[in-house]
Amino acid sequence: MKKYFTLFLFTVIVSFTYGQNSDKNFYPTETRKVDLSSKTDNEIKRQNELLQKSKLSPTEQKELDVLLQKYGEVVESMWDVIDGGCSWYCSGGNYKIKASSTLNSEKDTKYQAKNANDLSYQTAWVEGKPDEGIGEYLEYSFYNKSPRITQIIISNGYVKSDAAWKNNNRVKKLRLSINGKAFGILNLEDSKNDQIFDLGTFGHNKNGTDLILKFEIAEVYKGDKFNDTAITEIYFDGIDVH
């Protein structure tokens, strides 16, 4: 009887421990297409050129109307993650970002953590380990009084060109920790589209401490050429701004 009780107790402990350590999985609730084609680049540049003119011909006005209908007046550059109009970042955003490692390059700032925090599709953070970077991370710090976060949006891989995206690793699974506690796994598609996660509302900690979000690489999609894992951008949307 004692033997069976001991075995039962061991099974309960193992099951409980596994339940405590198992990661909850999250998937994008929405994806947003990112068009970084030369056509888009030329059209936005042309729109800006026409907007700067003091007087337009009827043909130019018609051309501008078509472009404004397509892109909107606040778009300044194809590479901007967020349009030039007011957004959550008008009053929100993190005050610090750090990375566990960074890929060495001839230009010291080329792959730094801040590249995943500059709201640009032209740059990316690339981890610096000799392997695919499992366990490497980005950490974002927000003042406790900052506007709260309701969405986490990820631009996965090195999206600035098809070649850069295919040649480098992309993230398949990111382990998210909040204020030092494991929250779950963000499962990312192998896509250049922005991937939006609705995970609840974060910020305004009752104990007054800053909000710390840590994104750790747990699994990757392999690149065709390099064993380096890249993240173009992790950015946020939320409330308490307007």
Short mmCIF file of all heavy atoms in Angstrom, two decimals, residues 102-103 105-112:
data_model
loop_
_atom_site.label_atom_id
_atom_site.label_comp_id
_atom_site.label_asym_id
_atom_site.label_seq_id
_atom_site.Cartn_x
_atom_site.Cartn_y
_atom_site.Cartn_z
N THR A 102 24.29 40.98 -29.71
CA THR A 102 24.13 41.66 -30.99
C THR A 102 25.18 41.15 -31.97
O THR A 102 26.34 40.98 -31.60
CB THR A 102 24.29 43.19 -30.82
OG1 THR A 102 23.31 43.67 -29.90
CG2 THR A 102 24.11 43.90 -32.16
N LEU A 103 24.76 40.92 -33.20
CA LEU A 103 25.69 40.46 -34.23
C LEU A 103 26.75 41.52 -34.50
O LEU A 103 26.43 42.69 -34.71
CB LEU A 103 24.92 40.14 -35.51
CG LEU A 103 25.74 39.64 -36.70
CD1 LEU A 103 26.33 38.26 -36.39
CD2 LEU A 103 24.88 39.58 -37.96
N SER A 105 29.37 43.69 -36.55
CA SER A 105 29.41 44.16 -37.93
C SER A 105 30.43 45.29 -38.02
O SER A 105 30.92 45.80 -37.01
CB SER A 105 28.04 44.68 -38.36
OG SER A 105 27.68 45.85 -37.64
N GLU A 106 30.74 45.70 -39.24
CA GLU A 106 31.69 46.79 -39.44
C GLU A 106 31.15 48.09 -38.86
O GLU A 106 31.89 48.93 -38.37
CB GLU A 106 31.98 46.95 -40.93
CG GLU A 106 32.73 45.76 -41.53
CD GLU A 106 32.98 45.94 -43.02
OE1 GLU A 106 32.58 46.99 -43.55
OE2 GLU A 106 33.56 45.03 -43.63
N LYS A 107 29.83 48.25 -38.91
CA LYS A 107 29.20 49.42 -38.30
C LYS A 107 28.60 48.98 -36.97
O LYS A 107 27.74 48.11 -36.92
CB LYS A 107 28.10 49.96 -39.22
CG LYS A 107 28.63 50.49 -40.55
CD LYS A 107 27.48 51.02 -41.40
CE LYS A 107 28.00 51.55 -42.73
NZ LYS A 107 26.90 52.06 -43.58
N ASP A 108 29.06 49.59 -35.88
CA ASP A 108 28.66 49.15 -34.55
C ASP A 108 27.16 49.19 -34.31
O ASP A 108 26.62 48.40 -33.53
CB ASP A 108 29.37 50.00 -33.48
CG ASP A 108 30.87 49.76 -33.46
OD1 ASP A 108 31.31 48.71 -33.96
OD2 ASP A 108 31.58 50.64 -32.96
N THR A 109 26.46 50.11 -34.97
CA THR A 109 25.03 50.28 -34.71
C THR A 109 24.16 49.49 -35.68
O THR A 109 22.95 49.56 -35.60
CB THR A 109 24.65 51.76 -34.81
OG1 THR A 109 24.93 52.24 -36.14
CG2 THR A 109 25.42 52.59 -33.81
N LYS A 110 24.76 48.74 -36.56
CA LYS A 110 23.98 48.14 -37.66
C LYS A 110 22.89 47.19 -37.19
O LYS A 110 21.80 47.18 -37.73
CB LYS A 110 24.93 47.43 -38.63
CG LYS A 110 24.24 47.01 -39.91
CD LYS A 110 25.24 46.51 -40.93
CE LYS A 110 24.55 46.18 -42.24
NZ LYS A 110 25.50 45.65 -43.25
N TYR A 111 23.17 46.36 -36.18
CA TYR A 111 22.20 45.34 -35.76
C TYR A 111 21.81 45.48 -34.29
O TYR A 111 21.33 44.53 -33.70
CB TYR A 111 22.77 43.95 -36.02
CG TYR A 111 23.14 43.70 -37.47
CD1 TYR A 111 24.46 43.46 -37.84
CD2 TYR A 111 22.16 43.71 -38.46
CE1 TYR A 111 24.80 43.23 -39.17
CE2 TYR A 111 22.49 43.49 -39.79
CZ TYR A 111 23.80 43.25 -40.14
OH TYR A 111 24.13 43.02 -41.46
N GLN A 112 21.99 46.63 -33.70
CA GLN A 112 21.74 46.82 -32.28
C GLN A 112 20.26 46.69 -31.92
O GLN A 112 19.37 46.78 -32.77
CB GLN A 112 22.26 48.18 -31.82
CG GLN A 112 23.77 48.25 -31.74
CD GLN A 112 24.25 49.54 -31.12
OE1 GLN A 112 23.49 50.47 -30.92
NE2 GLN A 112 25.54 49.60 -30.80
#
